[in-house]
DNA sequence: ACCCAGGGTCATA
DNA sequence: TATGACCATGGG
């Protein structure tokens, strides 16, 4: 990725060339501001996988209702979920929205688990193979695959979402045209491959987004704007 | 009434 | 490659 020098428009000084150098301080500041987020909410790896599908473009509060319905129906296991008809499953997950689409996606995901003879066998795969298998499932894209890798299989996969793109853009750390893999490499390439830290980092980014998106003026009390280091913008010529 | 959430797929140009 | 339509409920 092309990266020019970073210039703080507030304090008028140069920042390190590599935007990746800002990612550790960014994490520290988010953690300081919001504290540990305790992700992922869910008791089992399978429940996390189900939640990863259900939360696609959907508020988590709605997902919780769907999870409760599945739990009550005994459908939070591969066998239990597979025992449901598409219509029954769709009805249970109705509160999460897109219920017909997501019912099919859940069945496809369970099919992958079944093909490998269970979740333990599936998660015995190396990370690259597991990610490829997940991406083969209809309805599992890069973000959902990495959510499952990180929060269910506990692999060092950094999750990129819309909030991540927004924050990186505002801080001038990546262009809006950057692709998923490029943004992911920015994090993976400049941070230790630490699963609990990746876990917390993404959760903090989402927390920050929910906390501040559309509820307050952009820089009013924002923990990322608290000192001038965060008001940097890329410049062509210093 | 309007906007959008912890996305992904598919059809077009 | 890059947009746009579509899926659908619930809370602000």
């Amino acid at each position: 990725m092309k990266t020019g020098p970073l210039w703080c428009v507030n304090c008028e000084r140069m920042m390190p060339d590599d935007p990746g150098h800002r990612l550790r301080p960014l994490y520290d500041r988010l953690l300081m501001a919001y504290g540990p987020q305790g992700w992922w909410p869910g008791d089992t790896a399978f429940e996390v996988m189900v939640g990863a599908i259900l939360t696609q473009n959907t508020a988590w509060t709605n997902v919780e209702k769907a999870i409760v319905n599945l739990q009550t129906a005994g459908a939070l296991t591969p066998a239990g979920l597979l025992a449901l008809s598409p219509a029954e499953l769709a009805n249970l997950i109705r509160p999460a929205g897109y219920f017909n689409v997501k019912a099919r996606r859940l069945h496809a995901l369970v099919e992958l688990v079944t093909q490998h003879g269970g979740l333990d066998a599936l998660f015995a795969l190396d990370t690259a193979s597991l990610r490829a298998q997940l991406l083969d499932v209809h309805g599992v894209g890069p973000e959902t695959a990495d959510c499952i890798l990180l929060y269910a299989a506990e692999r060092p996969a950094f999750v990129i979402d819309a909030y991540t793109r927004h924050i990186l853009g505002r801080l001038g750390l990546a262009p809006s045209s950057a692709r998923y893999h490029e943004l992911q490499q920015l994090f993976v390439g400049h941070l230790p491959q630490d699963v609990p830290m990746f876990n917390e980092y993404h959760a903090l980014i989402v927390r920050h987004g929910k906390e501040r998106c559309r509820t307050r003026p952009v820089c009013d009390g924002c923990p990322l704007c608290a000192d001038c280091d965060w008001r940097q913008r890329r410049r062509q010529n210093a």
Side-chain angles (χ1 to χ4, degrees), chain A residues 38-50:
Chain A
W39 274 28
W40 183 292
D43 295 331
T44 66
F46 185 72
E47 182 177 338
V48 172
M49 296 173 72
V50 170

Side-chain angles (χ1 to χ4, degrees), chain A residues 216-231:
Chain A
R216 303 159 192 248
V218 175
C219 283
D220 179 25
C222 173
L224 303 187
C225 296
D227 72 67
C228 64
D229 282 1
W230 303 110
R231 303 201 179 195

Side-chain angles (χ1 to χ4, degrees), chain A residues 153-173:
Chain A
E154 300 184 358
R155 311 299 173 87
F158 202 96
V159 178
I160 303 297
D161 71 337
Y163 291 129
T164 315
R165 290 183 172 279
H166 184 253
I167 288 177
L168 291 180
R170 287 205 64 87
L171 296 180
L173 299 181

Side-chain angles (χ1 to χ4, degrees), chain A residues 6 17-25 173 186-187 190-191:
Chain A
L6 296 176
D17 276 5
D18 194 338
H21 293 156
R22 308 303 303 165
L23 295 178
R24 168 57 77 168
L173 299 181
L186 188 59
F187 286 91
H190 293 89
L191 295 169

Side-chain angles (χ1 to χ4, degrees), chain A residues 15-66:
Chain A
M15 306 305 292
D17 276 5
D18 194 338
H21 293 156
R22 308 303 303 165
L23 295 178
R24 168 57 77 168
L26 173 60
Y27 173 72
D28 293 339
R29 190 167 281 281
L30 287 171
L31 186 58
M32 181 76 66
Y34 299 109
Q37 299 301 300
W39 274 28
W40 183 292
D43 295 331
T44 66
F46 185 72
E47 182 177 338
V48 172
M49 296 173 72
V50 170
I53 295 289
L54 292 180
T55 197
Q56 288 172 351
N57 202 35
T58 299
W60 183 255
T61 52
N62 288 355
V63 177
E64 285 181 321
K65 301 173 185 181

